[in-house]
Amino acid sequence: MSFKAILLEETGGKVKGEVRSLEDSVLPPGDVTVRVEYSTLNYKDGLVLCGLGKLVKQYPHVPGIDFSGTVESSASPRFKPGDKVILTGWRVGELHWGGYAQRARVMSEWLVPLPHGLTTLQAMGIGTAGLTAMLAVMALEEHGIMPDKGDVIVTGAAGGLGSIAVALLAKLDYSVVASTGRAEARDYLKFLGAEVVIPRDELSGKPVRPLLSERWAGGVDTVGGNTLANLLSQIKYRGSVASCGLAGGSDLPATVIPFIIRGVNLLGIDSVLCPRERRMIAWQRLARDLPLAKLDTMVERVPLVAALTLGPQILKGQVRGRTVIDVNA
């Protein structure tokens, strides 16, 4: 059997991709074969599509760090043909062929069942970005950051992860402040539930002092760099920031002062190797706590070939909300 996929090849140090027809015989090892229905576009996908970050070690390669679909065959007792499943993380789309294809073969422990109440399309509207947002919210909750503690800020709020974090926090009755560099996204963020929208410039400059006036009980940061440093300096006593992105840089030009004077917590959020049990809890929470009507408004559905042009755009911050890749279109 043959299937359609985006295949990346490297020539002379440059990576180029195109939609190709491949045979099932070239699929990598795994105990479950999935008929993919949807994938999605994440910042990491943009890096892979553009051959950046040295995330892919061997070419030719099929990218796509997420997918949802239906089990076609299984040698694992966890799944049977016809089961609806989701995959995010586990270095799929980096070290292992990914979801920008009509068929994928993976290890059963990388898959989670599609939660009741979600479609495969909605699952990819959520994707790695949404799972990471949910893990960030769970971490804040576990560190005592509840709605009565004060405002919670989300940086990079108009992006995929940020958009879902805003919608989740608002649904859970938090007072949400959204930080964005896109003035045109103000109404969009208000619709998702942000009570206040502030310009990125308020946080993106070089930090001037290790401590500033206390403003927020907690935060979800997708930016890193100066933004995270400034955010830490303005978190309230014993507040927490969930760090889950580096769109603004991987450095952290901060001091230990917020940690030892105000007891601020910096919480690292990893969705790639997150244990399966915690993933399943997070997906159940997403099915329950994410307002799906709002999710639908932040999702753009595009055909497989569109991923090739959208990859560079997401790296430049030109993609708003969530982009779902229909691999059968």
Side-chain angles (χ1 to χ4, degrees):
M1 296 178 64
S2 62
F3 62 96
K4 184 172 65 173
I6 288 179
L7 191 70
L8 301 180
E9 296 188 285
E10 184 182 39
T11 304
K14 293 186 177 181
V15 173
K16 183 179 179 181
E18 64 177 351
V19 176
R20 299 266 293 274
S21 180
L22 304 176
E23 298 298 319
D24 274 15
S25 59
V26 302
L27 285 169
D31 57 356
V32 179
T33 301
V34 179
R35 186 170 66 253
V36 179
E37 297 170 21
Y38 300 102
S39 187
T40 184
L41 181 73
N42 299 281
Y43 190 87
K44 189 180 286 186
D45 291 309
L47 293 173
V48 171
L49 287 163
C50 294
L52 302 174
K54 298 183 179 179
L55 298 171
V56 179
K57 307 303 183 186
Q58 186 174 350
Y59 294 91
H61 177 72
V62 174
I65 68 170
D66 301 347
F67 65 76
S68 62
T70 304
V71 172
E72 198 166 72
S73 64
S74 174
S76 165
R78 284 195 177 106
F79 299 102
K80 64 183 185 304
D83 287 346
K84 298 289 186 179
V85 292
I86 304 168
L87 184 140
T88 63
W90 301 112
R91 306 300 300 276
V92 171
E94 302 173 56
L95 302 183
H96 192 92
W97 280 19
Y100 287 179
Q102 293 174 319
R103 198 166 280 112
R105 185 172 294 141
V106 295
M107 302 306 297
S108 58
E109 57 264 32
W110 299 344
L111 297 166
V112 298
L114 181 73
H116 178 72
L118 286 183
T119 66
T120 51
L121 176 61
Q122 289 169 327
M124 284 300 97
I126 296 168
T128 286
L131 174 64
T132 307
M134 187 74 252
L135 292 171
V137 171
M138 289 165 59
L140 292 177
E141 291 173 341
E142 290 160 1
H143 283 78
I145 310 303
M146 305 307 289
D148 62 351
K149 297 296 185 181
D151 294 348
V152 173
I153 184 169
V154 178
T155 64
L161 197 165
S163 293
I164 294 181
V166 169
L168 271 173
L169 289 164
K171 176 71 180 302
L172 294 169
D173 294 326
Y174 287 85
S175 174
V176 183
V177 177
S179 167
T180 182
R182 309 181 205 179
E184 71 279 6
R186 180 181 179 84
D187 290 344
Y188 165 73
L189 292 168
K190 287 278 193 176
F191 170 76
L192 294 182
E195 294 189 11
V196 177
V197 179
I198 65 172
R200 177 174 57 199
D201 293 350
E202 282 195 27
L203 292 169
S204 62
K206 184 178 179 180
V208 293
R209 291 195 300 276
L211 285 181
L212 296 172
S213 297
E214 299 177 45
R215 297 178 68 180
W216 304 292
V220 176
D221 176 61
T222 73
V223 179
N226 288 341
T227 295
L228 178 54
N230 283 310
L231 181 54
L232 289 167
S233 73
Q234 297 175 70
I235 293 294
K236 293 181 178 181
Y237 181 71
R238 296 187 67 81
S240 297
V241 177
S243 172
C244 45
L246 43 69
S250 60
D251 61 324
L252 182 56
T255 74
V256 299
I257 300 299
F259 309 121
I260 63 176
I261 299 297
R262 289 185 181 159
V264 170
N265 301 298
L266 180 58
L267 312 174
I269 308 300
D270 164 57
S271 66
V272 176
L273 300 178
C274 176
R276 188 171 187 269
E277 294 74 17
R278 188 165 178 83
R279 286 173 189 269
M280 293 179 69
I281 293 169
W283 276 106
Q284 293 295 335
R285 287 283 308 270
L286 284 160
R288 185 188 78 194
D289 296 334
L290 182 62
L292 296 180
K294 290 185 178 180
L295 172 69
D296 293 343
T297 67
M298 68 176 85
V299 169
E300 180 184 8
R301 181 172 165 181
V302 301
L304 180 61
V305 68
L308 294 169
T309 54
L310 289 171
Q313 292 179 25
I314 197 169
L315 298 183
K316 297 175 183 177
Q318 297 172 348
V319 176
R320 191 187 81 172
R322 299 287 294 136
T323 301
V324 171
I325 311 295
D326 185 343
V327 302
N328 296 297

